[in-house]
Amino acid sequence: MALFKDWMIRGVSAFILAVSLYSSALYSQVPTPQVPSTNPFPNYSNNGVVNPSNNRNQTPFTPSSFNPDLNRQQQQNRNIMLEVEQNQKLQETAMKEARADIEELRGAVRYALPTYSKFEGTQFYYEAFEKIILLDTTFSLKENNFLVENAFFDNKLDKAEFDKIITQSGDFIRAKMKEQGYDQNSNAAKNFMLFQFFSETLQLKSSNQKHLPFKYDFDDYRGVKNYAKMFVTKLLATKTGQCHSMPLLYLILADEIKAEAYLALSPNHSYIRFPDDKGKWYNIELTNGMLSTDSYISQSGYIKSEALQNKIYMENLTKKEMLSGLLTDLADGYIHKFGHDEFVKTVIDKALELSPNSIRANMIKANLDSARMDFVLRQIGNRPIEKYPQAIDMIEKVKSQYSFIDQLGYEDMPEEAYQEWLQSMNKENQKQKNEELTKQLKKALSNKKSTIKG
Amino acid sequence: MIRNYILAVLLFTIPLSVRAQNQEALFEKSLLTLNDMLVNENHYSFKKAVFSVENAYLNGKLDTVAANNQINVLTNLCKSLIDGRFLAYVESDKVDVNKWASVYQVMCDSIPIVIKDKEYKYIPFRYDFEDVFGNQELSNMFVSKLLTTRKGNCHSLPYLYKILCEELGTTANLALAPNHIYIKHQNKKNGWYNTELTSGIFPNDAWLMASGFIHVDAIKNGVYMKALNNKESIALVMMDLANAYQKAFPENDGSFLLACAEVSISAYPNFTTALILRAEMHKKIVEAEVDVEKSKVDFKKLEKEYANIHMLGYRYMPEEMYLNWLVSLKTEREKYENKKLTNFNKK
């Protein structure tokens, strides 16, 4: 079911980090997912199956010529005929049983998807999953997100290089804060600086270090052609990203400088929320470097009130929900590279355990369940489905999974509508709102500054 | 049960003047009827609930027989529409969808009717821009008034819609926006969608969110834009009763209003209209309190009540702004119309 294939938050462009470190052919060699050519109908020969035509010759038959007594002979004949009849009956039952056996053997439907574990590269995903689930006690977005992206590249990304960039960026932001005279403990100041780090050219007077802003990458922003377009490592390498990678990098850097900030979701989109020092909340739209209002987000036209009541959009994500999101990314990358199998189920079950209402995880589950249902129905073919209660159960479960997604208030946002909405932010009234909000935030900062000085 | 306790106290303590005695009794009867519907689901009838309030306000002069007859006529019109047309909708819930579409048509579309070879034109209900909040005359909000004048507002139109749906054996969910009531349905094809009877349009949720008076928290907490169940709808009617009582007896001591508010809140805990009424009644009590210490304690409690209402996301929407917003649906129809729905609902 390709129904939900293009819903995902995804991004753009070429992976230059990988290019510089490894061969550029790396990501273009992603194997195209292929359905393994296992034959669902085992080729059963006649071994062990009673062949009725052979059996007939074995019917015991005693010649009657050397029996003098006619009566006795007749009696015997009758007995023999009876015996023959009985034997024939036995044969028929045996045949019936044999036919039933054949039916049953043919009907041995497999209810689990065939695994891709023999494919090269899957082990990196299995390892990443184990690491995220078992080894993570601190919940580090930086570490876990790297695991997800690295698995896609068969663990060939340079971790030391990645760590270095993050540390340096954190140092840069702190240094700039100091230079600006901001309170080093103010959450508003930290986030304001982070926001500027993303949206403006910054230069450190002390070291002459210069930092250029990150830009939105319009090309293939859903990562349809090149999946890695949604990666943070791609964003760092090319300085261009989209609504998946940009907020994630923001939060990784926020952790680095110990700022409080959260990820929030809207249809096909994610953005940043943070509180200033008085508890007033701000939304940051990183794809165009502006502060946005709740009404801008809620008026996209694709947020239903049910979605808000079920808290699937416009809420700060908890650590559990973030982890669920990363597992969903992991599952998604695996599906993109290989396809649907039961490993996806393991990952997505865990993701749903952490965040039962997650739209993305629920959709992956819906797609996985439909893939499995298709697999089972293809095996059953045109035989009567009533004989396969497990398959009927599967169909019902797929239906209820889709209606659960509807119940959550999800509505598909078409790609054009999404782009149009994102662009609408550059319109005059939204720009004005952004300026007002920036002013407010700056005011909050200068208040803080003066109180510190005073 | 606290609800019954409140009612018992109420019935014995309200001083009845001779002049108003009958009308008071009608209000109390209505309150009991509504309360009974909340306690015993089998007794639920939205039509009965609405008419009991209107009858109390009209001091027993509501012509229930005539009103019921008119509703029967409309119901039959719906039924003939259902029988006589093909609906371009194939999902398993098409029986309900067909009923909703017919009620919508009867409320909003002009329909040609042939009686004895003569063609008549059925004129739908219209929006009445005068006195939309019933400030001058409360009965302008009434379904009975809508039935006789064929003009109504965001109170009587959705109420009648819900009544007709229930007469046809289906359901309709009322939903709230600031100063406003509209209809929500869920079908298999489109999920949840809105029906706006004041303009006969199916607006998307963005229209409501763009009103500028709905805080995101109010949506999250189900204060606004929630598909109300039948109990919550009775809570709405309960507030109509309180409002009617206040209009009929402006000098009342507040105990009837407080009882209405309490019962209403028990059925719909985040219903801000009832929460505000209760807070206002508590405020009166605090102001009348002579004991300084007790007054202080009560005042703290009152502050908490108002804080809770604010926290739920309620914000005041001025009346003038309401009309501008309502009109915006017609002027900016392109932007706010749910285009998926117009196809199968229009014949």
Side-chain angles (χ1 to χ4, degrees):
Chain A
M1 296 229 154
L3 204 62
F4 291 122
K5 270 235 164 110
D6 58 349
W7 52 269
M8 271 165 288
I9 307 164
R10 260 61 275 224
V12 207
S13 169
F15 194 80
I16 293 170
L17 181 69
V19 176
S20 59
L21 299 170
Y22 316 106
S23 131
S24 66
L26 215 153
Y27 54 85
S28 56
Q29 281 174 354
V30 173
T32 358
Q34 274 173 353
V35 181
S37 58
T38 42
N39 186 350
F41 307 116
N43 192 12
Y44 294 105
S45 67
N46 272 342
N47 299 351
V49 176
V50 189
N51 188 328
S53 63
N54 293 338
N55 263 11
R56 201 161 288 153
N57 300 335
Q58 290 162 14
T59 313
F61 190 77
T62 332
S64 56
S65 57
F66 51 103
N67 209 318
D69 191 337
L70 193 75
N71 261 345
R72 232 185 112 200
Q73 207 176 14
Q74 275 177 340
Q75 183 64 37
Q76 216 170 19
N77 278 350
R78 221 173 286 144
N79 282 347
I80 287 165
M81 273 167 68
L82 247 149
E83 210 175 310
V84 169
E85 243 170 65
Q86 261 172 0
N87 265 325
Q88 267 174 350
K89 264 185 195 153
L90 272 173
Q91 271 175 25
E92 269 165 35
T93 1
M95 250 173 74
K96 254 188 206 160
E97 273 167 19
R99 274 202 202 106
D101 280 353
I102 292 169
E103 265 313 290
E104 211 181 290
L105 282 169
R106 267 202 196 133
V109 171
R110 289 199 292 157
Y111 293 97
L113 285 164
T115 176
Y116 288 98
S117 59
K118 298 239 166 64
F119 278 55
E120 222 172 286
T122 48
Q123 75 271 22
F124 300 112
Y125 274 88
Y126 305 150
E127 280 165 24
F129 177 64
E130 294 295 315
K131 274 189 192 156
I132 292 173
I133 289 303
L134 296 174
L135 302 180
D136 177 53
T137 44
T138 51
F139 183 79
S140 161
L141 179 63
K142 182 183 132 194
E143 299 300 321
N144 287 336
N145 187 62
F146 187 84
L147 284 172
V148 171
E149 298 186 6
N150 204 18
F152 186 83
F153 287 113
D154 297 345
N155 285 1
K156 281 176 185 152
L157 292 178
D158 188 338
K159 180 66 170 36
E161 176 70 19
F162 175 74
D163 284 345
K164 203 175 98 194
I165 296 175
I166 299 299
T167 318
Q168 280 173 349
S169 303
D171 291 344
F172 183 95
I173 294 164
R174 268 189 294 256
K176 189 72 196 169
M177 268 178 82
K178 218 173 257 173
E179 206 177 279
Q180 297 277 348
Y182 290 139
D183 174 4
Q184 297 280 317
N185 294 316
S186 154
N187 196 49
K190 285 176 185 171
N191 276 289
F192 183 65
M193 212 60 242
L194 262 170
F195 174 46
Q196 290 207 313
F197 186 78
F198 271 79
S199 52
E200 275 165 47
T201 305
L202 299 176
Q203 191 156 16
L204 280 181
K205 282 172 200 147
S206 51
S207 64
N208 246 350
Q209 247 185 308
K210 201 171 166 186
H211 165 80
L212 296 172
F214 296 105
K215 289 219 169 74
Y216 184 68
D217 187 348
F218 285 94
D219 178 44
D220 190 24
Y221 68 95
R222 287 188 184 200
V224 178
K225 280 178 251 158
N226 178 6
Y227 190 79
K229 288 232 166 175
M230 297 175 295
F231 286 174
V232 170
T233 37
K234 179 262 173 186
L235 168 62
L236 286 173
T238 63
K239 292 247 169 200
T240 61
Q242 41 73 276
C243 70
H244 182 77
S245 57
M246 291 171 106
L248 281 185
L249 179 60
Y250 186 101
L251 292 171
I252 290 171
L253 292 175
D255 282 346
E256 192 67 22
I257 63 164
K258 302 201 166 46
E260 184 187 358
Y262 301 89
L263 191 70
L265 304 175
S266 72
N268 292 353
H269 195 69
S270 60
Y271 61 98
I272 297 291
R273 298 188 79 225
F274 75 88
D276 72 9
D277 303 292
K278 283 181 186 143
K280 181 182 160 49
W281 287 86
Y282 291 84
N283 303 323
I284 298 181
E285 186 46 65
L286 291 168
T287 55
N288 48 24
M290 282 161 95
L291 294 172
S292 67
T293 57
D294 273 357
S295 61
Y296 165 73
I297 295 152
S298 65
Q299 284 169 43
S300 72
Y302 292 86
I303 296 189
K304 290 194 173 188
S305 56
E306 286 73 24
L308 295 178
Q309 281 154 25
N310 289 318
K311 323 260 185 236
I312 63 173
Y313 294 137
M314 301 179 76
E315 293 272 343
N316 297 343
L317 295 189
T318 62
K319 295 214 159 192
K320 269 187 179 180
E321 287 164 337
M322 287 298 290
L323 187 57
S324 165
L326 286 174
L327 289 173
T328 309
D329 287 344
L330 187 76
D332 195 39
Y334 184 86
I335 294 165
H336 185 87
K337 242 182 134 167
F338 308 106
H340 289 99
D341 69 9
E342 302 304 334
F343 170 68
V344 176
K345 180 177 155 49
T346 315
V347 178
I348 228 60
D349 281 353
K350 186 71 197 171
L352 285 171
E353 186 190 312
L354 291 163
S355 172
N357 279 2
S358 156
I359 272 291
R360 291 180 53 215
N362 272 298
M363 286 200 175
I364 291 200
K365 181 172 158 48
N367 286 339
L368 172 71
D369 287 353
S370 336
R372 194 187 298 109
M373 180 185 78
D374 282 353
F375 173 68
V376 168
L377 291 181
R378 253 184 288 134
Q379 292 176 69
I380 293 174
N382 51 13
R383 281 173 288 171
I385 186 126
E386 304 81 55
K387 291 200 174 151
Y388 303 91
Q390 220 177 322
I392 294 173
D393 191 46
M394 264 183 175
I395 298 172
E396 285 310 310
K397 282 209 175 114
V398 169
K399 274 193 204 159
S400 68
Q401 176 66 13
Y402 279 103
S403 76
F404 178 69
I405 290 168
D406 278 349
Q407 294 275 305
L408 286 177
Y410 169 81
E411 194 183 5
D412 182 49
M413 187 176 193
E415 200 169 330
E416 318 80 65
Y418 174 71
Q419 280 299 340
E420 197 184 312
W421 170 71
L422 220 51
Q423 288 308 302
S424 75
M425 195 151 199
N426 293 323
K427 282 185 188 154
E428 212 41 55
N429 58 341
Q430 291 299 336
K431 270 190 185 162
Q432 227 170 332
K433 288 257 165 64
N434 169 50
E435 270 162 36
E436 274 168 37
L437 286 168
T438 315
K439 226 180 258 173
Q440 275 178 31
L441 182 58
K442 277 189 177 158
K443 208 175 148 200
L445 287 177
S446 61
N447 284 347
K448 193 79 191 174
K449 255 201 282 188
S450 60
T451 49
I452 294 300
K453 277 175 190 162
Chain B
M1 231 184 203
I2 190 160
R3 216 182 280 153
N4 292 343
Y5 167 74
I6 292 161
L7 289 179
V9 171
L10 176 86
L11 293 180
F12 292 110
T13 52
I14 291 179
L16 307 179
S17 75
V18 182
R19 188 180 55 83
Q21 202 166 357
N22 284 339
Q23 196 172 9
E24 285 267 10
L26 283 170
F27 273 105
E28 277 151 27
K29 205 179 138 208
S30 177
L31 177 55
L32 284 174
T33 307
L34 297 180
N35 189 57
D36 179 44
M37 288 185 194
L38 291 174
V39 179
N40 192 338
E41 273 177 52
N42 295 333
H43 295 177
Y44 165 84
S45 157
F46 193 69
K47 182 173 83 173
K48 205 175 140 198
V50 170
F51 285 157
S52 87
V53 174
E54 298 187 0
N55 189 42
Y57 181 77
L58 299 171
N59 202 359
K61 291 196 184 89
L62 174 72
D63 190 344
T64 339
V65 177
N68 272 317
N69 277 343
Q70 276 162 313
I71 284 178
N72 284 341
V73 169
L74 294 171
T75 311
N76 285 331
L77 185 57
C78 290
K79 282 181 184 158
S80 62
L81 281 172
I82 294 168
D83 292 338
R85 65 128 173 242
F86 171 77
L87 192 75
Y89 184 90
V90 291
E91 307 281 332
S92 61
D93 54 348
K94 71 181 278 186
V95 175
D96 285 315
V97 171
N98 208 346
K99 284 175 183 170
W100 300 334
S102 77
V103 177
Y104 173 82
Q105 245 183 306
V106 165
M107 302 282 305
C108 306
D109 280 352
S110 30
I111 308 163
I113 301 173
V114 181
I115 302 170
K116 286 181 186 155
D117 295 334
K118 269 194 174 171
E119 196 177 295
Y120 298 87
K121 203 172 161 198
Y122 167 83
I123 309 288
F125 294 95
R126 274 180 303 149
Y127 187 73
D128 190 350
F129 278 93
E130 264 167 54
D131 194 24
V132 289
F133 295 109
N135 289 338
Q136 288 152 34
E137 176 47 55
L138 187 73
S139 60
N140 280 335
M141 311 293 281
F142 286 180
V143 173
S144 50
K145 178 256 176 188
L146 170 66
L147 287 169
T148 42
T149 64
R150 304 195 67 81
K151 278 160 105 187
N153 49 39
C154 76
H155 184 266
S156 53
L157 288 164
Y159 273 25
L160 178 61
Y161 182 99
K162 185 169 166 66
I163 290 170
L164 290 178
C165 281
E166 289 181 0
E167 293 289 302
L168 288 168
T170 182
T171 55
N173 303 98
L174 298 174
L176 299 175
N179 302 337
H180 192 67
I181 304 175
Y182 63 102
I183 299 288
K184 284 192 90 139
H185 283 306
Q186 187 186 28
N187 72 29
K188 291 248 154 69
K189 194 173 162 207
N190 308 89
W192 283 104
Y193 68 93
N194 307 320
T195 305
E196 177 54 58
L197 296 162
T198 57
S199 46
I201 290 175
F202 304 100
N204 56 22
D205 277 353
W207 171 59
L208 294 145
M209 290 174 184
S211 71
F213 292 92
I214 301 186
H215 196 276
V216 175
D217 291 345
I219 307 170
K220 287 178 181 171
N221 292 319
V223 169
Y224 295 132
M225 301 175 73
K226 175 182 188 289
L228 301 179
N229 61 31
N230 287 342
K231 278 195 176 178
E232 289 160 340
S233 304
I234 294 296
L236 252 61
V237 180
M238 191 70 96
M239 278 299 97
D240 296 339
L241 183 70
N243 196 14
Y245 185 88
Q246 175 64 29
K247 283 266 154 74
F249 304 102
E251 304 297 325
N252 72 81
D253 69 348
S255 52
F256 185 86
L257 302 182
L258 193 55
C260 286
E262 292 286 4
V263 180
S264 192
I265 291 163
S266 71
Y268 179 7
N270 285 358
F271 184 20
T272 47
T273 315
L275 290 170
I276 289 166
L277 179 65
R278 184 171 71 179
E280 276 172 7
M281 292 301 114
H282 285 166
K283 192 174 157 204
K284 271 190 186 165
I285 295 169
V286 170
E287 281 165 356
E289 182 60 59
V290 274
D291 184 341
V292 183
E293 277 312 303
K294 191 170 184 313
S295 165
K296 265 188 189 166
V297 176
D298 286 351
F299 189 74
K300 279 263 179 280
K301 277 191 202 156
L302 186 63
E303 275 185 330
K304 269 193 187 154
E305 275 188 74
Y306 278 113
N308 178 47
I309 292 166
H310 187 83
M311 195 205 75
L312 287 174
Y314 172 83
R315 304 289 184 272
Y316 175 68
M317 182 180 193
E319 291 183 6
E320 343 43 286
M321 300 219 170
Y322 170 74
L323 279 181
N324 290 338
W325 169 66
L326 211 55
V327 169
S328 79
L329 190 53
K330 288 227 158 168
T331 51
E332 295 177 75
R333 185 169 182 152
E334 192 49 34
K335 194 164 153 194
Y336 296 126
E337 189 163 36
N338 188 339
K339 289 175 195 77
K340 278 185 251 165
L341 289 161
T342 31
N343 300 331
F344 75 80
N345 263 304
K346 293 254 165 73
K347 341 139 241 193

